[in-house]
Amino acid sequence: MTAEAPDALRVENIAKRFGSVTALQDVSLHLRKGEVLGLIGDNGAGKSTLIKIITGFHRPDAGRIYLDGEEVELKSVSQAQRLGIQTVYQDLALVNDMTVYHNMFLNKEITWRPLPLLNNRKMKHLTRRYLDDIGVSIPSIETEVAMLSGGQRQAIAVARAVYSEDARILLLDEPLAAMGAKEGAMILDLVQRLKESGGVSIILIAHNYAHVLEVCDRVNVLQHGRITYDKPAAETSVEELTELMVSEYRRARTGGGG
Amino acid sequence: MTQATVSERIRDVGFLRRLLTRPELAAVAGAVLVFVFFAIVAGDRGFLTFGGTMSYLVVAAQLGIVAVPVALLMINGEFDLSVGSMVGAAGIIIAITVTEFGWPLFAGALLACVFALLVGAFNGWVVIKTGLPSFIVTLAMLFALRGLTIGFSRLITGRTQIGGLGAATEGDPLRVIFAGEIAGIPVAVFWWLGLAVLGTYVLQRTVFGNWIFGVGGDKVAARNVGVPVNRVKVILFMCTALSAALLATIQVMDAGSADVLRGQLLELQAIAASVIGGVLLTGGYGSVVGAVFGALIFGMVQQGIFFTGVNTDWFLVFVGAMLLVAVLFNNVIRKRASKG
Ligand SMILES: Nc1ncnc2c1ncn2[C@@H]1O[C@H](COP(=O)(O)OP(=O)(O)O)[C@@H](O)[C@H]1O
Ligand SMILES: [Mg+2]
C-alpha cells in the first residue's frame, strides 16, 4: 500500500449521542483507496456506531463525511449502498425466517428487468457461487438461515456485502466474532484476496489483534469516542496493541483517572 | 459423482419437506375435510347444488377480499383491526353521496376509496411515528371510525340505515362490476379469486413480496440492509383499508342499502382466516393461499350448518373449534419445518 493513495473515505469530527450516552465525541479518520484499515477498541467504545453512521443507518449529530474527497450527506442505507458502501453489521442483518438466497439478495433482488419479478433461479445460482467462492459449506441455500450455525450466518452476511457489484467501501464489523478457527481463516483469506484485487477499501473491526495485523495495512484505536492511535500495521505489534488496551484498564483500576 | 448424488438427495428431501411444511397445508386439508363433512351430512339438502356452492362461495368471497391484504399485512408483522369499521364507513359514504347528494355511483365509490386510503395511510403513519403496536393503533381506529360513521350518518340523514341505492343506481354500468353475475356466479367471487392471485403473485414473485417477508421476519435486519421498512408498512395498511372499501361497495350494491354497523367482527374473521391459513401472528411467515382457504372454510362452515338444518346459532362454536385445531396443526408443521 502506497502512502500516497488518495482517500476513498474521510470522516471529520463525527459526534453522536444516544440520549445521555455519548457514543462518539469527535472522531476523524480516513481510509485510503485499496487499503484495509483495522479499527479496534473496547466494547462500547463506539465502533459499531461509527460504522452505522458511515453506512447511513444513523445520522451523526455533528461532523462531515467525504467520499473520494467529496462531501456527502448520508440519509439512508440505500443511498450509502448506491454510493458503493457495503456493510456487515455486528448484529448481522439476516432475516431468520428467510432462505439463504433470499437473505443474500434482500433489497438487492435480481429481477427480470424491467419487470419487478424475482429471478429466483439466478439468485440461487449466484448465492451458490459466492458461498463456494468464499469456501464455506452450507447444505442447502433453500433452507432458512435460522437453521444455520453462527459462523455460516456470518459467512452469508460477509458474502452479501463483498459480492455487491458496486462495493467500493466495505465495512466489516466483527465479521469473525461467531466463527470457528477454520471459518475465520476463510474470511481473513477473502479479505486478503479482496485487498490484492485492489478494487475495494475496507474497514475491519476485530478483537483478535493477530488477525488485525495479519490483513490490515493500518490500525486505528477508538477510545472514549475519539481516535487515539493511528499507525501502519508494520510498525506495531500484538504486544503494543494489547498493552495499549490493557493499560487503560489498569489506570482505571488503580484510580489514576485518565 | 458422489457429490452429485448427495445434492440430488438433498433436493428430493427438500422438495418433499417443502410440500409438507407449506404454511397453507392445514387450511387446504381443513377445507377438504369440512367439504367432505358437509357433503356427507348435508349433501342431500342442497349443500352440493350449484346454488348451495354459490351461497358459501359468496360468504367466503366477501371475507376473502379483505383477508388477502390482511394476511399480507400480518406477514409483514402488523394488524389492522379497523377493516370492519372501514366497511361500515365506506358503505355509508357511498350511500350518502349517492342517495342524499345525488352523486353518480363511481364518484361515491371513488370518495370511499380515497377516504379508505387516507385512513390506511394514517394508521401506518401513527404506527411508525409513535412506535405503538398496530394492534392498539388500529383498535383505536376501530372504535373511532365506527363512532364517526354513526355520528355523521345520523347528522346528515337522521338515520343509521340508508336504503334506496338500488333505485338510485339503476342502469349504472358499475353495477355489473360490483353486483353482477358471470355465468350465474356473483362477481364478488371473481374479485376474491383475482385478489388471491394478485396477492400470491406479489408475495411470492415480486421484490415487494420479498420485502414483506423481510420486514415481518426481522424489521431491524431489513432496515439494516436498506429495505424501506416504513414505506412497505404504510402501503400495506392502505391496501387493507382499500379492500374494505371494495367490499363495502360490493355489499352496498348487493343489498341496495348501507348500515352503519356493517362489517362488525370482520377484522377478527379476517385475522382468523389468515391464522387458519398458516400466517404467523408474529409475522414473517405465511401465505395468501392459506388465507384464501381460511376464508373458504369460514364460508363452508357458515352455510354448511345452515344446510344441515341445525340452528345456525351454533356456527360460532364450530368456528372457534376450527380455529384452535388449525392453529395447533400449523404449530406442528412449523416445528417440523424448523427441525429440517
Ligand atoms: N441505538 C442505540 N441506542 C442507545 N444507545 C446506543 C445505541 N447504539 C449504541 N449505543 C451506545 O453507544 C455506545 C457505543 O456502542 P457501540 O457503538 O455498539 O460500541 P462498540 O461497537 O465499540 O462495542 C454504547 O454505550 C452503547 O450502549
Ligand atoms: Mg460493536
Side-chain angles (χ1 to χ4, degrees):
Chain A
M1 196 45 41
T2 56
E4 306 91 77
D7 288 339
L9 167 78
R10 195 150 48 85
V11 304
E12 286 180 359
N13 311 110
I14 294 283
K16 178 73 185 174
R17 298 167 62 92
F18 296 105
S20 62
V21 177
T22 303
L24 300 174
Q25 194 138 35
D26 181 7
V27 171
S28 302
L29 64 68
H30 67 113
L31 174 67
R32 296 195 187 102
K33 272 214 166 71
E35 179 183 42
V36 181
L37 173 67
L39 182 63
I40 63 178
D42 279 334
N43 287 322
K47 305 180 295 294
S48 297
T49 303
L50 180 60
I51 294 299
K52 286 187 172 176
I53 286 172
I54 301 174
T55 200
F57 189 85
H58 289 318
R59 307 285 298 272
D61 298 333
R64 287 166 306 280
I65 300 172
Y66 301 87
L67 285 178
D68 293 327
E70 232 175 276
E71 182 165 1
V72 289
E73 196 185 340
L74 298 175
K75 296 201 181 81
S76 70
V77 176
S78 296
Q79 186 204 351
Q81 281 173 356
R82 281 195 295 279
L83 293 169
I85 300 173
Q86 290 289 339
T87 310
V88 174
Y89 297 88
Q90 182 176 10
D91 43 5
L92 286 180
L94 300 177
V95 180
N96 277 333
D97 278 333
M98 290 178 92
T99 64
V100 174
Y101 71 96
H102 278 136
N103 264 292
M104 187 74 95
F105 286 97
L106 185 56
N107 199 30
K108 304 194 291 195
E109 292 85 357
I110 298 178
T111 56
W112 301 95
R113 278 165 207 275
L115 303 173
L117 301 183
L118 299 176
N119 186 341
N120 283 319
R121 190 160 3 121
K122 187 158 183 201
M123 289 194 282
K124 283 183 211 174
H125 174 76
L126 287 176
T127 300
R128 207 178 299 278
R129 208 174 79 199
Y130 296 162
L131 294 174
D132 284 350
D133 198 35
I134 292 186
V136 68
S137 81
I138 284 172
S140 164
I141 55 165
E142 292 181 47
T143 54
E144 290 79 37
V145 297
M147 293 184 217
L148 303 178
S149 74
Q152 287 171 321
R153 273 189 267 189
Q154 193 71 261
I156 292 166
V158 172
R160 200 197 126 82
V162 166
Y163 291 102
S164 294
E165 279 165 32
D166 46 1
R168 290 194 297 156
I169 293 174
L170 266 178
L171 309 172
L172 306 177
D173 192 352
E174 303 202 21
L176 309 171
M179 297 201 146
K182 185 170 150 235
E183 291 167 323
M186 279 175 190
I187 300 298
L188 285 174
D189 248 24
L190 182 68
V191 172
Q192 190 69 42
R193 270 186 286 154
L194 286 169
K195 182 161 113 179
E196 280 155 16
S197 74
V200 294
S201 320
I202 302 174
I203 295 181
L204 172 69
I205 297 177
H207 282 298
N208 183 320
Y209 304 143
H211 287 159
V212 170
L213 293 179
E214 187 184 328
V215 294
C216 293
D217 300 300
R218 202 154 52 87
V219 180
N220 277 11
V221 176
L222 184 59
Q223 279 175 316
H224 311 299
R226 295 166 194 275
I227 300 291
T228 55
Y229 179 95
D230 180 1
K231 260 195 190 178
E235 292 170 26
T236 183
S237 63
V238 172
E239 290 72 31
E240 189 189 3
L241 294 176
T242 310
E243 181 56 31
L244 198 69
M245 304 307 294
V246 175
S247 65
E248 182 193 8
Y249 161 74
R250 276 204 211 101
R251 264 203 313 278
R253 201 178 56 160
T254 53
Chain B
M1 275 295 108
T2 38
Q3 194 87 34
T5 47
V6 166
S7 65
E8 281 306 311
R9 209 182 58 221
I10 287 172
R11 196 172 311 144
D12 283 352
V13 172
F15 178 74
L16 196 68
R17 204 198 107 219
R18 210 149 290 276
L19 206 65
L20 287 176
T21 56
R22 289 294 312 168
E24 62 271 9
L25 182 63
V28 174
V32 172
L33 279 178
V34 169
F35 178 81
V36 169
F37 175 78
F38 284 111
I40 293 169
V41 176
D44 52 351
R45 292 197 179 121
F47 182 75
L48 292 174
T49 62
F50 182 76
T53 307
M54 283 313 122
S55 80
Y56 67 72
L57 281 185
V58 166
V59 174
Q62 298 214 351
L63 173 57
I65 285 169
V66 175
V68 166
V70 162
L72 292 179
L73 182 70
M74 285 176 68
I75 294 170
N76 191 56
E78 305 290 346
F79 292 96
D80 187 350
L81 296 179
S82 68
V83 285
S85 297
M86 192 67 235
V87 169
I92 290 294
I93 288 176
I94 295 170
I96 289 181
T97 52
V98 171
T99 63
E100 297 282 318
F101 303 168
W103 289 19
L105 176 58
F106 87 88
L110 194 65
L111 181 67
C113 289
V114 170
F115 178 73
L117 289 172
L118 288 176
V119 170
F122 180 76
N123 278 338
W125 181 77
V126 173
V127 167
I128 287 160
K129 283 295 160 195
T130 61
L132 290 172
S134 52
F135 190 93
I136 301 299
V137 171
T138 60
L139 181 62
M141 185 57 83
L142 177 157
F143 291 118
L145 198 53
R146 188 70 75 185
L148 283 172
T149 305
I150 298 172
F152 271 108
S153 180
R154 232 195 274 277
L155 203 67
I156 296 172
T157 68
R159 286 167 291 149
T160 57
Q161 283 182 329
I162 303 169
L165 272 141
T169 61
E170 191 68 63
D172 194 308
L174 277 189
R175 282 194 66 93
V176 185
I177 305 176
F178 294 114
E181 288 185 350
I182 300 172
I185 303 170
V187 284
V189 175
F190 294 100
W191 278 105
W192 174 41
L193 297 180
L195 285 178
V197 171
L198 181 69
T200 301
Y201 205 67
V202 166
L203 185 65
Q204 306 289 347
R205 306 297 307 179
T206 69
V207 172
F208 190 74
N210 211 37
W211 291 356
I212 293 176
F213 277 121
V215 173
D218 191 333
K219 206 163 47 180
V220 176
R223 189 172 282 137
N224 268 343
V225 300
V227 175
V229 173
N230 293 345
R231 202 192 325 156
V232 174
K233 285 194 188 303
V234 170
I235 288 173
L236 288 174
F237 276 112
M238 291 169 80
C239 287
T240 53
L242 187 62
S243 74
L246 171 63
L247 176 59
T249 311
I250 290 171
Q251 285 188 343
V252 163
M253 288 295 92
D254 213 31
S257 68
D259 187 319
V260 291
L261 295 182
R262 277 272 164 73
Q264 271 186 325
L265 282 185
L266 180 72
E267 61 283 337
L268 296 184
Q269 290 175 349
I271 290 173
S274 301
V275 170
I276 289 174
V279 174
L280 218 56
L281 275 182
T282 46
Y285 184 82
S287 78
V288 168
V289 177
V292 168
F293 277 90
L296 181 61
I297 290 176
F298 255 90
M300 285 196 293
V301 171
Q302 185 176 328
Q303 295 308 108
I305 288 183
F306 170 77
F307 280 113
T308 57
V310 175
N311 192 326
T312 47
D313 295 345
W314 301 101
F315 161 61
L316 292 177
V317 181
F318 208 109
V319 169
M322 279 286 313
L323 180 61
L324 203 60
V325 171
V327 172
L328 286 173
F329 192 79
N330 282 335
N331 250 351
V332 174
I333 296 176
R334 195 71 195 120
K335 284 223 183 73
R336 204 167 54 194
S338 63
K339 282 211 189 81

